[in-house]
Amino acid sequence: MGTYTPKPRVLALGLAGALVASMAAVGSIPASAEETAVDPATQQYRPYLHYTPEKNWMNDPNGMVYHKGVYHLFYQHNPVGTTWGNMSWGHATSKDLLTWEEQPLAIPQTFNADGVAIEDIFSGSVVVDQDNSSGFGTAENPPLVAIYTSAYTGAHPTHAGKQAQSLAYSTDDGQTWTKYEGNPVLDRDSANFRDPKVFRYDGPAGSYWVMTAVEATDHKVVLYKSDNLKDWTHLSDFGPANSVAGIWECPDLFPIAVDGDPNNVKWVMVVNLNPGAVAGGSGGQYFVGDFDGTTFTSDTTDPLDTMPEGTVFAGFNDGTYNGWTVNNEPGNWKNGPWGDAPATGSLPGQTPVTGFGGTGLINGFNDGDWPLGTIESPAFTIEQDYINFLVGGGNHPHVPGGQLANEPPAGDLLFEGFEFPDGTNLSDAGWQLAGDFEPARNPSTAGGEYFIGAKRINTFEGGPEGDNNTGTLTSPEFTIDDSNISFLIGGGQRDDGTLQAELVVDGTVVETATGKNSGALEWRNWDVSAYTGQQAALRLVDNASGGWGHLTFDHVVMGSEPALPRSSETTVNLVVDDEVVRSSTGNNSESLDWTNWDVSDLAGQEASIKIIDNNRGGWGHILADEFMFSDTPAHSRLEGYDWLDWGKDYYATVSFSNVPDDKRIMLGWMNNWDYANNIPTSTWRSSMTLPREVSLTQTPDGPRLVQKVVDQIDSVRKDYAAYTDGPREIREGHETLPIAGDLVQIDAEFAPGDAERFGLTVLGDGTEATKVGYDASTERLFVDRTNSGNEDFHPAFSSIDDAPVPMVDGRVSLRMYVDRASVEVFANNGLTTITDQVFPNAGADKIGLFSEGGTAQLEKLTITPLSGTMWDTGSSDGATKAPGKAQLSIDHQQKNGPHDGNFAVNMQLLEGEKGSLFKLYENGKLIRYEALSTATSGAQTFETNINDRPNGKYVYTGELINSKGATKTTQRTVVVGAK
């Protein structure tokens, strides 16, 4: 069901313990920002074409069904908070799969007489019980039946910590639901049995209901049959198979005719997993095979890989560390993180470790995630082109320029580092406390990690209400007499100003910082050189409530240099001349996978391999094994599997039931459990992907899924406003196109020419943008969001996600949908997709082309604006007929006359229907593409500045366009250089 599992490898405590820990961590009470009414259409990052709830948390799509002309989308929902918790079923309906109307809460959690939650409603499915086999309806009014997972909390009197399958039914077309009094209907006495997807099987074996569900930690899909949805008989199991790097969740099973041939029908088994997906974190894999009514047989399960060719440098299979230097953290009772000898597999408290070679490996989980340490190889000379090895464990990359310690920068320590003598508080030191904050509680001696000394400010401890404390703490004024202020900050993240540290100069807030929903305090720095000599104060603002509704703050230093960031890494590093020149980390998975370093440019140099565990938090350990020198690179096992999507944000994907014309339409949750609770939205969190129709097509490797956005997308295309370009060259560098937009469909075809990389940039602001490109040397498509706007809210977010996409006839073709905070890219006619969230800077809507390492060829490009279908976006121009005639004129001011190459071209519409788009052409080339407001009073006008034109003749023409047509403007000619 996509349960939030901060440490998914440690499941020995059972689900009840995991739920308690999860809810304590992420909270279940809405932040104060949710209490103020906000127009969703005005919220940054709110998509206009993807479904989002108006407020609060959403994850996995559930119970998707078509019934009486209406598509029903149910989903995992926290009705009272913006992070995971209080799992219930939300509900939305649509007639076209694009315009969704949010409905009342469908199936809420269950509470006992004391108001304590005893059952969470996890993922499942809905079927139309057409023959009333369940008896919940009548022959005349067959019921909708929901089959869902009852996740029983520790407070349940008989099933505490267990998961079983239950029913609810509706006889009013899904508007109200009744939980079946005989629940649960299928109980395996398991803590991880969940996510039932039920369908009607009609085939040679008979006619009955079939359920696919998972035993999540066993990596198995379990199949059952029933005649009445209440009584279930086991059929078979599928798995483990292909990626078992994380828990298996949200299965699906359905038939599709290959290339539409009814005589060649194959079955597709979908298995979502977390973590262990190809891009890291959560994702979905699929298998193609056959189902005979009892057993699914996969044609696409990969055999176990063989060891790549090469010379083994260290395999750790003789019970020793092969002469490597081991540094365990002093005083750790289990001599962690490495212990005295290599591990032989999993360690106590750790879920099964898989994918290593031989009998031993480096495993930094001795005593769990807490201990820190290093382990380093003997020195060696680099002689071959590649170093191959297996790696797993936590995803915490090396931070270039960072420190493994937690040392403050040189400078003056302000406010004594809050290390006041006992009996002295912040008020005694001149701080002003307001709201819930009490002098006796500040500074605090509890909460947070990586603080310095014994005391710090912690707004959780600073008042009687914990996370619900609100108020401010303001320092006495001080003089800024150096260029940097550095400090440690942790705790909650809010991006709406309700939870932040502020630097106040002359009554104005000039710098801010917030936490990252983490107990670990991190170094932050403000460049204050512009305020040298001025008086300033620090103010901590906490107007946030609910989970992570607090800040921790410590050790403020004013000096000439910023603090070095702490590198809380779990990494394998190649060290040359005491510098890290290559680095790899795990994938938040206990399954090791092959990776490689190309070291051909380092031939002849002396090096060592240094493994670092410098992280005490979740996934704070590293796994490594089988270091080899080779002339060829080892390849990731994950690359050989079949993935629904190669991006970070396509999870819990399942299909709608009962869709007309036997279409198979799938929908996914556009998020990733690595950072889902941290994305920087405000009153809501998470969106769904666009709905996709899937089919099977024959490939050289056998039948494979192809995907496209449903045909209904054509109804929101603004074809009249489309921008076209090509064929032409894309010279090395970046160019901004004359069209901009944050809700567009892009169709592009490229040839590489002599360029190394090329493609498009979207959601740009001139400084940052999301890059969607192609690497010609590796034939891989990529989405690069490392410089996409807001990407530092979580260390796992910034990424380059790529996929193998062979060119066809020397070209690569893409279709892309951009919607304010996401990109969905379809390549090779939908055989490969990459879906990623992005969080661009405010107002970022520029679109551009780029080429690196040479000149690429743009064969053709069409950018089509789309109308929003969610919220009131004002996307319709309200036109009743084509625009009136507009005239062009040239600005002939004395100093900016046309004679010197600097002038303005003005468009003015004096009467007639207004245009919603203006295109300006110079000598037949489009140079300006601008959306216009149709709500203006009086004459509609627009001005385009023309600068630095060389001598010559320039003919300007224009078009004024709306949804009803296009009208050409008058023509104007300018001769530069004429007197």
Side-chain angles (χ1 to χ4, degrees):
M1 55 62 62
T3 321
Y4 174 55
T5 48
K7 297 182 180 181
R9 64 202 176 287
V10 185
L11 295 172
L13 297 177
L15 180 72
L19 278 174
V20 170
S22 297
M23 295 183 70
V26 303
S28 59
I29 303 173
S32 59
E34 296 176 280
E35 298 164 4
T36 302
V38 177
D39 177 6
T42 67
Q43 293 177 293
Q44 189 178 10
Y45 310 136
R46 176 74 78 170
Y48 288 154
L49 200 55
H50 294 70
Y51 178 74
T52 56
E54 182 173 356
K55 61 180 181 179
N56 296 328
W57 167 269
M58 175 182 73
N59 58 287
D60 307 359
N62 300 156
M64 297 186 297
V65 65
Y66 180 81
H67 180 58
K68 295 183 179 179
V70 175
Y71 294 92
H72 292 262
L73 165 63
F74 301 89
Y75 49 88
Q76 294 285 276
H77 188 46
N78 181 354
V80 293
T82 58
T83 50
W84 187 92
N86 309 304
M87 281 295 98
S88 306
W89 273 25
H91 184 200
T93 55
S94 174
K95 293 184 178 181
D96 63 1
L97 288 168
L98 297 176
T99 306
W100 294 95
E101 181 178 352
E102 190 167 351
Q103 302 293 337
L105 192 69
I107 308 177
Q109 10 170 211
T110 305
F111 298 86
N112 64 18
D114 297 323
V116 176
I118 59 173
E119 178 198 29
D120 284 308
I121 312 301
F122 279 9
S123 290
S125 51
V126 169
V127 298
V128 180
D129 187 10
Q130 195 64 50
D131 297 327
N132 193 33
S133 65
S134 63
F136 293 141
T138 65
E140 295 76 21
N141 184 29
L144 294 176
V145 180
I147 308 94
Y148 63 88
T149 297
S150 293
Y152 297 107
T153 73
H156 195 279
T158 58
H159 293 81
K162 302 297 183 182
Q163 293 181 356
Q165 312 320 315
S166 295
L167 304 178
Y169 59 91
S170 172
T171 56
D172 59 1
D173 300 324
Q175 293 307 300
T176 60
W177 293 83
T178 302
K179 295 172 184 173
Y180 175 45
E181 61 183 11
N183 286 335
V185 296
L186 182 55
D187 183 2
R188 290 168 57 104
D189 193 33
S190 168
N192 292 286
F193 171 45
R194 55 178 176 263
D195 308 343
K197 180 65 189 295
V198 173
F199 64 94
R200 189 73 184 180
Y201 172 80
D202 288 292
S207 179
Y208 42 83
W209 299 106
V210 172
M211 176 195 296
T212 61
V214 294
E215 282 288 355
T217 57
D218 294 338
H219 307 115
K220 287 184 178 180
V221 177
V222 293
L223 286 79
Y224 284 80
K225 66 179 290 187
S226 175
D227 292 323
N228 59 12
L229 297 169
K230 299 174 182 176
D231 303 296
W232 293 90
T233 302
H234 181 253
L235 289 173
S236 62
D237 296 343
F238 171 73
N242 290 0
S243 182
V244 294
I247 56 176
W248 279 20
E249 296 187 318
C250 303
D252 202 352
L253 181 62
F254 49 82
I256 299 184
V258 180
D259 291 319
D261 182 358
N263 297 313
N264 185 15
V265 175
K266 302 295 286 186
W267 286 73
V268 177
M269 172 76 80
V270 170
V271 179
N272 291 272
L273 75 160
N274 171 48
V278 66
S282 43
Q285 61 182 331
Y286 72 93
F287 304 82
V288 180
D290 297 294
F291 178 60
D292 62 4
T294 299
T295 302
F296 173 75
T297 304
S298 169
D299 298 336
T300 58
T301 300
D302 284 0
L304 294 176
D305 68 327
T306 57
M307 190 78 71
E309 294 184 0
T311 303
V312 175
F313 173 59
F316 312 108
N317 296 318
D318 61 358
T320 76
Y321 276 121
N322 300 151
W324 291 41
T325 302
V326 178
N327 290 304
N328 288 304
E329 186 167 41
N332 182 264
W333 74 291
K334 285 192 175 182
N335 201 24
W338 318 113
D340 295 322
T344 58
S346 304
L347 295 169
Q350 190 175 26
T351 53
V353 173
T354 61
F356 59 96
T359 58
L361 76 154
I362 291 174
N363 185 343
F365 197 73
N366 280 285
D367 200 24
D369 282 328
W370 184 259
L372 309 180
T374 64
I375 179 168
E376 187 167 13
S377 77
F380 57 88
T381 301
I382 297 174
E383 296 177 341
Q384 293 180 271
D385 287 348
Y386 291 93
I387 299 177
N388 299 324
F389 57 96
L390 290 161
V391 65
N395 185 339
H396 305 288
H398 172 71
V399 177
Q403 58 169 322
L404 297 182
N406 197 40
E407 297 296 327
D412 295 329
L413 179 64
L414 304 185
F415 318 120
E416 302 177 50
F418 307 118
E419 300 300 317
F420 305 139
D422 290 346
T424 302
N425 58 48
L426 283 182
S427 292
D428 296 332
W431 285 63
Q432 297 179 11
L433 280 59
D436 294 322
F437 299 117
E438 302 172 356
R441 295 175 179 261
N442 294 281
S444 172
T445 57
E449 300 165 11
Y450 298 106
F451 51 86
I452 295 177
K455 299 178 181 179
R456 60 275 191 195
I457 294 178
N458 181 352
T459 65
F460 185 99
E461 303 287 342
E465 304 298 329
D467 265 331
N468 294 330
N469 288 324
T470 60
T472 59
L473 303 99
T474 306
S475 79
E477 285 195 332
F478 58 92
T479 302
I480 296 176
D481 56 12
D482 219 322
S483 57
N484 290 276
I485 294 178
S486 301
F487 51 90
L488 288 163
I489 189 168
Q493 175 183 317
R494 298 289 192 274
D495 298 297
D496 56 4
T498 60
L499 188 66
Q500 60 188 24
E502 300 176 343
L503 180 66
V504 182
V505 177
D506 195 23
T508 300
V509 176
V510 296
E511 297 284 355
T512 64
T514 187
K516 294 184 178 180
N517 287 356
S518 171
L521 281 77
E522 303 279 357
W523 284 108
R524 295 288 295 276
N525 177 74
W526 290 328
D527 182 344
V528 294
S529 55
Y531 311 109
T532 301
Q534 298 187 54
Q535 294 294 104
L538 277 170
R539 181 167 62 203
L540 300 184
V541 176
D542 182 348
N543 288 318
S545 59
W548 290 114
H550 69 276
L551 284 180
T552 44
F553 190 80
D554 194 20
H555 216 80
V556 185
V557 176
M558 185 154 52
S560 59
E561 298 293 332
L564 296 177
R566 187 177 64 253
S567 184
S568 298
E569 61 192 86
T570 53
T571 53
V572 181
N573 299 309
L574 182 66
V575 179
V576 175
D577 293 334
D578 295 324
E579 296 289 333
V580 174
V581 295
R582 301 287 189 276
S583 184
S584 297
T585 187
N587 202 18
N588 285 356
S589 170
E590 303 293 26
S591 183
L592 287 81
D593 196 11
W594 288 107
T595 192
N596 67 79
W597 292 328
D598 183 343
V599 293
S600 56
D601 61 317
L602 302 172
Q605 298 194 48
E606 188 173 89
S608 65
I609 295 169
K610 187 172 186 179
I611 301 175
I612 297 174
D613 178 350
N614 199 48
N615 194 294
R616 298 193 191 279
W619 286 109
H621 66 281
I622 187 76
L623 312 171
D625 195 20
E626 300 297 339
F627 289 89
M628 306 175 65
F629 303 137
S630 179
D631 293 324
T632 58
H635 296 291
S636 165
R637 298 184 183 111
L638 297 179
E639 293 255 333
Y641 305 148
D642 294 307
W643 298 98
L644 292 175
D645 195 276
W646 290 70
K648 285 274 195 180
D649 296 308
Y650 194 64
Y651 187 60
T653 306
V654 289
S655 62
F656 279 85
S657 300
N658 205 43
V659 175
D661 303 322
D662 292 326
K663 288 186 176 182
R664 187 59 54 175
I665 296 172
M666 303 190 77
L667 191 69
W669 178 49
M670 193 154 53
N671 216 331
N672 190 305
W673 280 118
D674 276 356
Y675 46 73
N677 282 279
N678 302 88
I679 62 171
T681 54
S682 52
T683 62
W684 87 101
R685 195 164 266 117
S686 291
S687 63
M688 296 300 180
T689 64
L690 291 176
R692 302 179 185 180
E693 182 179 350
V694 300
S695 55
L696 281 175
T697 191
Q698 188 66 37
T699 76
D701 296 322
R704 293 295 186 271
L705 281 180
V706 292
Q707 306 178 60
K708 68 172 186 175
V709 173
V710 293
D711 292 339
Q712 289 91 325
I713 194 72
D714 291 341
S715 67
V716 300
R717 289 167 49 93
K718 296 181 181 178
D719 290 311
Y720 67 89
Y723 169 86
T724 60
D725 199 353
R728 67 175 176 88
E729 291 182 336
I730 311 171
R731 298 193 178 278
E732 186 167 8
H734 179 271
E735 63 172 287
T736 300
L737 294 171
I739 181 175
D742 60 5
L743 181 58
V744 295
Q745 174 182 319
I746 301 177
D747 294 278
E749 184 177 288
F750 300 91
D754 60 4
E756 297 172 0
R757 289 155 53 100
F758 54 86
L760 292 139
T761 58
V762 297
L763 299 172
D765 64 355
T767 302
E768 301 201 6
T770 299
K771 296 176 73 173
V772 179
Y774 190 78
D775 188 315
S777 62
T778 60
E779 294 199 25
R780 295 182 73 89
L781 173 72
F782 64 87
V783 174
D784 181 348
R785 59 183 188 181
T786 59
N787 191 45
S788 57
N790 185 351
E791 66 272 339
D792 65 353
F793 58 86
H794 192 280
F797 182 79
S798 180
S799 67
I800 301 174
D801 303 318
D802 64 345
V805 175
M807 285 185 283
V808 177
D809 297 326
R811 298 180 179 185
V812 59
S813 298
L814 308 175
R815 171 166 287 184
M816 183 191 335
Y817 296 91
V818 178
D819 185 4
R820 303 199 76 205
S822 66
V823 292
E824 294 176 74
V825 187
F826 298 74
N828 278 3
N829 294 317
L831 267 173
T832 305
T833 65
I834 298 179
T835 300
D836 276 341
Q837 295 180 97
V838 289
F839 299 97
N841 296 328
D845 63 357
K846 296 181 185 299
I847 302 172
L849 295 167
F850 73 91
S851 181
E852 299 172 2
T855 299
Q857 180 74 14
L858 177 66
E859 300 293 344
K860 53 185 176 181
L861 173 67
T862 302
I863 302 174
T864 308
L866 303 174
S867 296
T869 58
M870 298 298 301
W871 321 113
D872 181 11
T873 63
S875 58
S876 173
D877 62 6
T880 60
K881 57 184 178 181
K885 188 81 169 183
Q887 65 179 15
L888 297 184
S889 61
I890 307 299
D891 183 346
H892 285 278
Q893 294 182 28
Q894 184 176 358
K895 292 184 179 180
N896 292 325
H899 57 277
D900 64 358
N902 296 293
F903 49 93
V905 179
N906 298 308
M907 182 278 296
Q908 184 174 34
L909 174 67
L910 298 178
E911 60 182 9
E913 191 87 10
K914 290 183 171 66
S916 54
L917 178 69
F918 173 58
K919 293 182 179 180
L920 180 65
Y921 298 85
E922 181 184 75
N923 294 340
K925 179 182 177 181
L926 180 66
I927 62 169
R928 191 67 183 260
Y929 176 109
E930 192 74 27
L932 303 177
S933 171
T934 58
T936 56
S937 59
Q940 189 176 44
T941 62
F942 189 76
E943 180 179 87
T944 302
N945 289 313
I946 307 295
N947 297 305
D948 300 323
R949 290 297 188 264
N951 292 349
K953 181 179 179 181
Y954 298 90
V955 178
Y956 294 94
T957 56
E959 282 184 296
L960 199 56
I961 304 167
N962 63 26
S963 58
K964 298 300 181 181
T967 304
K968 291 184 177 180
T969 68
T970 60
Q971 177 178 301
R972 287 292 180 267
T973 300
V974 176
V975 179
V976 175
K979 300 296 184 182

